[in-house]
Each structure stands twice: as C-alpha cells, then as structure tokens.
C-alpha cells in the first residue's frame, strides 16, 4: 500500500481563490510527522508547513494551513488567496516514528496552476 | 543564512562514464540526505548521514553508487559507471533537530542526463 497518496495529478485554480490539495497517508505508528513541500520549475524543494501527529491544532504558516484529520488519515494543504507565484508542484511527505527515523516518504505530487 | 548548496546544477555524460555531485549543507546541520527524484515522482531517499556516519544507506545501489561525508560537513555522491536509467535529479537536504521539529531543507538539485 502507498504510504502517501496524492490523488490530484493536476489542478487549475483562478487567482485569488483558495485551493485545497489532498493528501492521505498510511501508517500504524502513533508518532509521525507530515510535511508539505513546494517545487517550482527551478527544481528546489521549498518547505511549507509541518504537522506532528500529537499536535492538537492544525498547523498554519501565513497563507498555508494544514487540514489535519487524524481519524481519516488525511493532511490536506489549504492555500488561501492564491497567487500566480503559487504555480508549482506540491508534495506531501511523512516521517514515521519518532526522532531517529528521519526518512521522509513522499507522494507523487500535485501540479498546481494558477490562472490569472 | 545560506541554504543548501549543490553543484553542478546540470550534468550531461555518456553512459559508462563516472560522475560526482557535491553538497554543502546549511551551517550547523548535522544530518545530511541524498535523494533521487525521477521525472514525475517524489524524491526517494538514497542515503542519510548523521555527522560523518552513514546511518541509512539501504536504498543506495552500492554496486555503482558511493557517497562520503568527510568531516561531517560537505558530502559527495558518486556514480561509476553511469547507466541510462540514472538520468534523474539528485537532491541534497539537511536538517537539525530543534525541539519537536526536524524539518529537512533541500538544495536546488543536480539534473543528470546520461546519453
């Protein structure tokens, strides 16, 4: 079974609208971390937001928020007021286990295109 | 603060030739990672270093790939000999455990094309 599933290969969104990128994960470990990265055409993976499995509140970083639904094993990324510069590939990733298990498992990504 | 530096950014070689990639992590980051990213896929871990020690190299094809991290700072990933299927982006990342987070920060990658 895939550990990280991103079911949206591509999305087109009008500028200034909010967008939700889906991510579901599979793990039996009670301790894990979930990450979202942005990869523009330049190739660099840019860290956006982190959610720990024991965090009580959903993570937020500026225009980015993570809709963490633990029982459903989903960790969707929400981008508010989208901008043209948000056009990129977006990857969801998971670290299983506690510290000392820093291996990240990535999904296949979602290509987001913002339309002017 | 400078980010993760990688060189070269692009490399084109013929099959069976050797190739090397270099990575300089963020200052103070003791953990360094090499990832392989095939076209249309997410990155996959090749090797992880804690300081000078390779603590996870289970995904590294050791018949042709090798890596080193001398003095626990810079790292080099080598392929010898390269095969057509090695064409991909090679990403380096580094992290420092701070409190409850261990976020990995990535470099721009090296895009390898094997002809």
């Amino acid at each position: 079974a895939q550990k990280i599933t991103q079911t949206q290969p591509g999305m087109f969104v009008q500028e200034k609208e909010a967008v939700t990128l889906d991510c579901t994960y599979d793990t039996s470990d009670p301790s894990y971390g979930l990450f979202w990265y942005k990869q523009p055409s330049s190739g660099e993976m840019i860290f956006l937001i982190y959610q720990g499995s024991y965090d009580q509140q959903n993570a937020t970083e500026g225009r980015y928020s993570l809709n963490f639904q633990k029982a459903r094993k989903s960790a969707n990324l929400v981008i508010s007021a989208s901008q043209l510069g948000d056009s990129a590939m977006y990857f969801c990733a998971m670290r299983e286990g506690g510290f000392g298990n820093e291996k990240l498992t990535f999904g296949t990504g979602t290509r987001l295109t913002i339309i002017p | 603060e400078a980010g993760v530096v990688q060189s070269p950014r692009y490399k084109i070689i013929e099959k069976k030739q050797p190739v090397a990639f270099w990575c300089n992590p963020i200052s103070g980051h003791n953990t360094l990672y090499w990832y392989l990213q095939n076209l249309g896929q997410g990155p996959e871990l090749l090797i992880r270093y804690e300081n000078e020690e390779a603590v996870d190299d289970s995904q590294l094809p050791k018949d042709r790939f090798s890596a080193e991290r001398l003095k626990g700072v810079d790292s080099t990933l080598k392929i010898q000999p390269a095969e057509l299927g090695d064409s991909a982006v090679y990403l380096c990342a580094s992290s420092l455990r701070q409190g409850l987070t261990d976020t990995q920060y990535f470099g721009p990658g090296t895009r390898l094309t094997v002809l």
Side-chain angles (χ1 to χ4, degrees):
Chain A
Q2 293 289 328
K3 289 188 176 291
I4 295 288
T5 302
Q6 295 182 254
T7 58
Q8 306 152 310
M11 289 189 68
F12 291 84
V13 173
Q14 203 75 37
E15 188 181 7
K16 298 182 184 178
E17 290 186 351
V19 57
T20 298
L21 304 181
D22 296 340
C23 173
T24 58
Y25 59 92
D26 182 26
T27 181
S28 57
D29 201 308
S31 178
Y32 54 90
L34 297 159
F35 301 78
W36 276 92
Y37 285 86
K38 172 185 178 181
Q39 188 174 43
S41 56
S42 59
E44 184 172 353
M45 299 283 284
I46 302 168
F47 166 70
L48 297 177
I49 197 166
Y50 166 80
Q51 180 86 42
S53 59
Y54 295 117
D55 293 344
Q56 295 298 310
Q57 294 187 325
N58 288 344
T60 60
E61 288 286 349
R63 294 186 301 113
Y64 304 108
S65 61
L66 203 151
N67 184 1
F68 182 45
Q69 298 189 41
K70 197 169 183 176
R72 294 186 176 185
K73 293 188 176 180
S74 74
N76 298 339
L77 176 70
V78 179
I79 307 174
S80 63
S82 58
Q83 303 170 356
L84 295 178
D86 294 333
S87 293
M89 283 289 290
Y90 288 80
F91 290 95
C92 179
M94 176 173 64
R95 182 204 73 234
E96 292 180 272
F99 295 110
N101 295 289
E102 281 84 358
K103 174 183 175 179
L104 286 181
T105 302
F106 286 81
T108 53
T110 296
R111 180 172 297 281
L112 175 65
T113 303
I114 305 300
I115 305 167
Chain B
E1 181 181 292
V4 177
V5 179
Q6 290 187 248
S7 69
R9 289 296 313 278
Y10 305 91
K11 189 73 175 178
I12 301 173
I13 62 171
E14 293 188 346
K15 63 181 180 182
K16 300 185 182 180
Q17 294 299 306
V19 64
F21 315 124
W22 176 80
C23 173
N24 179 248
I26 293 173
S27 178
H29 282 197
N30 61 319
T31 308
L32 183 145
Y33 316 76
W34 283 102
Y35 284 86
L36 164 70
Q37 186 176 22
N38 286 307
L39 188 64
Q41 301 294 317
E44 298 176 17
L45 181 69
L46 288 173
I47 189 169
R48 173 167 67 94
Y49 282 93
E50 293 285 347
N51 300 306
E52 302 90 353
E53 182 181 1
V55 296
D56 184 356
D57 62 356
S58 57
Q59 301 302 311
L60 189 73
K62 298 182 182 63
D63 57 336
R64 297 183 301 107
F65 286 65
S66 64
E68 61 182 11
R69 190 183 184 197
L70 300 177
K71 300 181 180 179
V73 181
D74 295 359
S75 177
T76 303
L77 178 68
K78 299 178 181 178
I79 308 175
Q80 183 170 11
E83 297 179 353
L84 295 176
D86 296 331
S87 294
V89 175
Y90 292 82
L91 293 164
C92 179
S94 69
S95 69
L96 175 67
R97 189 177 305 166
Q98 289 182 310
L100 297 178
T101 63
D102 58 347
T103 301
Q104 295 181 28
Y105 295 92
F106 285 78
T110 296
R111 182 176 298 276
L112 174 66
T113 302
V114 182
L115 303 176

